[in-house]
Each structure stands twice: as C-alpha cells, then as structure tokens.
Amino acid sequence: MTVFLSILGVVALIAILIYNSLIGKKNQVDNIFAGVDTVLKKRYDLIPNLVASVERYMEHEKSTLEKVTEYRAQAMKPGISDDQKIALDAKLTSALGAINIAMEAYPDLKANENVMHLMRTLNEIEEQISAARRAYNQSVTDLNNAIEMFPTNIVAGWMNLQRRLLFEITTTERQNVNVHDLFNRS
Amino acid sequence: MKTLSELTDYYYKELYPSIDELEKTRQEIASRLKLYGGMGLALFGLVAIWCTKTFGLLHPMSIAIAIGFIAVGTIIYRSMTQNYAKDFKEKVITPLINAIDSNLLYNPDLMISQTLFERSQLFNHSIDRYRGNDYVKGSIDGVPIEFSDVHAEYQTRDSKGRTQWHTLFRGLFLVAEFNKHFKSRTVLLPDLAEKTFGNLIGGWLQSLNISRDKVIQLDDPEFEKKFVVYGNDPIEARYILSHSMMNRIVEFQKKISYPLFISFVYNHIHVGIGAGKDLFEPAVFTSLLDYKQAMEYINTLRYTIGLVEELKLNEKLWSKE
C-alpha cells in the first residue's frame, strides 16, 4: 500500500510539474505575441502616412499601395485571430518590400526628405518586427515540441492545447541585411 | 584605420630604432635573470634539503620558506623588468596605438573603472581586488570606446581560516556605445556546459543558472555552439542579436583564441576577452623582433580597436545619429 501511494505521489508530482511547464510555455507564447502586436501596431500607424507621401510619385505601384492599405485595414479589424494576423503580416511585409525595391526607380522620391525619413523609420520598425517574429517562433517551437513529445503530450492532450502557427521568416530576413539600404549612409 | 599588414610594416620599419634599442636591454635583462634564477634555484635546493631534514617536507615552516622564496623571486623579477616595461609601452605600444588611430589616448597606468566593469553584469560575483593598466580611450568612426587590461579577483577562506585569492576575470575589457536603442539586459557567455555535456544536458544546466536571467535560444546553430545567451527581454535580445550581428560575433571569436564575454546593457556593449594575462606586457625571454611575438601585440591592438569596425558599431541607426 505504501509503495502504491509513493508511486501515485511521484506520478502526481510529475503531472503537476508538466502541467505547470506547459502553462508557462503557453503564457510565454501569448506574452511574446503581445510584444509582436506592439511592433506590428507601430507599422500600421506608419503606413497611412507613407502611402500618402509616395502615391503621388509611384504611378506604376498603385495596385501594390492599395494592397498595403487593404491589408492594414484587415489587420486592424477588432476580433481578428492571431493566425490571421500572422498571415496578413507576411502579405504586408512582402508588399512593403516590393515598394522598397520599386523606390529605386523614382529618383524624385529618394530626394524627398520626408519620404526618406518615413522609409528609414519603417526599416527600423521592420528590424524590430523581425526580432519579435524570431522570438515568437522560438516560443511557439518550444510549445509545439511539448505538445508533441512524450510524456508532455499526454498532459497537453488533457489540457486541449493546440499547436500554434509560426511566422514565416522570409529569405531576405535570413540573409545579412544590406546596411546601405538600412542606414543613413550614401 | 591601418590594416594588419600596414601595422606590421610600421612595427618593423618605423619603430625599428626603438625596438632595436629595447631588444638590447631585453637581452641584458634576460641573461641577468637566467644567472640570478640559476643561483636562486641552487640556493632554494640547498634550503629545501635542510628544511626537509630539520622540519619535514610538508611542515608549515618549510612551506613558509618556499613561499618566501617565490615572493622574493617575484619582487626581484618585477624590479628588474619594471623600467624595461615602461620604456616598451612608451616607445612601442603608444606609437602603435597612435598609428591605428590618432584620436586614441593611451595611459599605461590607468584602467577601466570598476563601476563600468560591474555595470556589464558579466561576472555576478563580489570583487575583493580590482587592478588593471594600459587604458585606451577615444572614439573610432564616431563611436566612443574605452578599454584596458583588467584583473578582478575575489577572496575565500578555507576551513583553517587561510585566505585564498581566485581570479574572476583577467584579460582585456572594452566598453563602447552600441548603435541601437535598447532598455533590456542581454548577456553572452562562452558555452562551456553545452561543449562539455552536449545539447540536452548542457541546455538544462544552463537553464539552472539562478543568478542569471532566462536562457534565450537563438536561431543560429554556429552561434549557439559557441555562446549561451541570458536576457530579460526575448524580443530585444533578438533585435540586438540580428543574424548579421551573430555572424560578426562568431567571426570575431574565430579570430581570437581567448574566451569572449559580451553584454549589452545601458545602450553599451561590454566585451571581456579572457586572455588570462596582461596583453601589453613586453616579452622578456622572446625577442621583440620575433614575428610571432610582434604579431601578438599588433593583433591584440588591431582586433580590439577594430571591434568597432568588425561589429559595425559605426553604422548607427539614423535615430541614434
């Protein structure tokens, strides 16, 4: 009887430890996503100003600019899920990247101090977003591993924890950033 | 900033007259040291035999006499090399630093303040003795920088109440302004646990370090093999340690053969290069004209001062300009 109770005690203790570590991992994901949200919001705040400043010059990029505005509007809708935010972030990043590249073809734009200031601000925000995405992906990977690995998967099953989606890290982000594009250097 | 080969040329051509003169002094000192050393050893041998017969080999008296011999030897060595070291710093190190960058000020007797050293939060231990020398301060490409040799120690007492000194850090310590704004604390230490115990156990051991913030896992396998990162903000740690920054730190670590300690606090980068010795002390038993010896001085200086270039600290975000 004593042996049985001891074994039961040890099993209960392990289950409690696993439960607490899963809760910790889940909260870490939510916590970091709040940080991601903060930097994404910085970018949403900048977009209207940026679009208004460049649309007069960028005749051929009208559709891309419209897309950027549309994605921003969708991302700012109340009640949007985290997964939808992640999907919209990828679209927005790629559209803004296209604008950044297209700017090379507009010398007038590059001479405009206001536009350049906005672009540099955007680049700084993009660096922060990139860091936030990497932090989020690491915490999601930790949680997803715990959900799938034995024995934590048993407790995760009882808790009904779901796997989370990762942010896609673009290939340009993986490469070393070209600092001449990012910094105020000629 | 001059390249390594330009600095090597400068050392052998421009500084040759001073080095040649110092080399003669060095040879004299070395031969005198060998003579005194030989005599000292012979005397020590005789005293050791007498002590063993009179008190026994491990008797406190025998040990005290042995320690006395070492202390006297050290004092004699120091007094004989003191002026030579001073001349070497004046005639070789000072012009070398000026050749690298004329904006840098050098003082062989000063050091990085203990406050700055402790501010780095690289070594979580009380310091009982803090010494240093060879202080360099200035700015490289507009980035304020200062560094010096540092020797930080702490004291313990054994069961018999005897004092023992332990080195916490010995080597070169550098502080420079960082090119991004941040509020958090991020500390990089050599990854000894993972090297010794492998990924799984090593990672678990790292996470047990209660005196540190949480371990931050980064997405660069090569970097992860070399360093363990502790920080209190997982997002800002990655903002500081972008892929390119991690890459540069790994490249820097490959160039120097000493353990590297780096922290990012108070908008500054703090770098400790754990050489385990003073880096700008002149060699006594190796020729100053010896290529390897010369390259050690030049490399150390060039890599330390070059760290600003190496880590691209001069490429500031426009909001910091």
Side-chain angles (χ1 to χ4, degrees), chain B residues 272-286:
Chain B
I273 300 172
K277 59 178 183 183
D278 272 7
L279 286 164
F280 302 121
E281 298 308 306
V284 176
F285 296 108
T286 315

Side-chain angles (χ1 to χ4, degrees), chain B residues 180-235:
Chain B
K180 288 177 178 176
H181 294 285
F182 58 87
K183 294 190 186 76
S184 61
R185 180 175 55 229
T186 306
V187 174
L188 280 67
L189 303 176
D191 195 342
L192 301 173
E194 238 168 90
K195 242 182 227 156
T196 316
F197 302 104
N199 255 347
L200 198 67
I201 299 171
W204 176 70
L205 283 172
Q206 287 161 358
S207 67
L208 291 182
N209 194 335
I210 48 167
S211 65
R212 297 275 177 202
D213 293 308
K214 274 193 166 171
V215 171
I216 293 179
Q217 289 269 327
L218 287 157
D219 42 0
D220 181 329
E222 199 177 359
F223 180 89
E224 274 289 312
K225 261 185 212 156
K226 287 184 163 39
F227 299 100
V228 53
V229 179
Y230 297 96
N232 62 350
D233 185 333
I235 294 180

Side-chain angles (χ1 to χ4, degrees), chain A:
Chain A
M1 190 64 190
T2 322
V3 173
F4 174 73
L5 282 177
S6 305
I7 292 169
L8 197 68
V10 169
V11 169
L13 183 69
I14 291 170
I16 289 166
L17 288 174
I18 290 174
Y19 177 85
N20 286 347
S21 91
L22 284 167
I23 291 288
K25 285 182 166 65
K26 184 179 89 61
N27 289 346
Q28 174 78 336
V29 170
D30 293 339
N31 189 12
I32 291 182
F33 196 83
V36 175
D37 238 359
T38 309
V39 278
L40 287 178
K41 193 176 175 311
K42 273 191 199 172
R43 188 165 67 174
Y44 301 150
D45 293 345
L46 188 83
I47 285 171
N49 210 341
L50 180 71
V51 170
S53 306
V54 300
E55 65 186 349
R56 285 183 298 119
Y57 299 89
M58 298 179 109
E59 287 296 321
H60 304 292
E61 267 65 45
K62 267 221 169 352
S63 64
T64 314
L65 289 168
E66 278 165 11
K67 269 187 201 164
V68 167
T69 311
E70 186 194 330
Y71 294 146
R72 174 187 176 270
Q74 284 178 24
M76 289 189 75
K77 270 184 197 157
I80 185 174
S81 74
D82 290 355
D83 289 355
Q84 284 171 304
K85 271 185 194 167
I86 289 172
L88 282 167
D89 165 75
K91 288 177 179 170
L92 204 47
T93 302
S94 124
L96 285 168
I99 289 174
N100 210 346
I101 292 164
M103 276 184 77
E104 294 300 318
Y106 299 90
D108 291 356
L109 259 182
K110 297 194 86 171
N112 183 319
E113 197 50 48
N114 179 42
V115 171
M116 287 321 287
H117 173 90
L118 285 168
M119 285 312 288
R120 282 196 294 261
T121 309
L122 180 68
N123 279 329
E124 267 190 49
I125 293 171
E126 288 292 348
E127 273 214 43
Q128 289 167 4
I129 291 174
S130 161
R133 278 195 207 111
R134 288 165 56 210
Y136 179 76
N137 282 355
Q138 184 60 53
S139 64
V140 166
T141 305
D142 287 348
L143 179 68
N144 288 350
N145 285 347
I147 288 172
E148 288 180 27
M149 282 178 178
F150 181 81
T152 44
N153 59 347
I154 299 167
V155 182
W158 292 337
M159 291 164 72
N160 201 16
L161 284 178
Q162 300 297 318
R163 280 176 53 89
R164 306 279 186 106
L165 276 183
L166 292 170
F167 272 100
E168 257 181 68
I169 303 285
T170 57
T171 44
T172 45
E173 236 173 87
R174 280 239 162 267
Q175 291 158 359
N176 288 350
V177 182
N178 179 350
V179 286
H180 289 288
D181 296 342
L182 275 183
F183 298 96
N184 186 16
R185 307 218 156 247
S186 50

Side-chain angles (χ1 to χ4, degrees), chain B residues 234-246:
Chain B
I235 294 180
E236 234 174 32
R238 287 169 177 90
Y239 176 58
I240 292 164
L241 295 167
S242 61
H243 287 118
S244 48
M245 179 55 87
M246 286 192 284

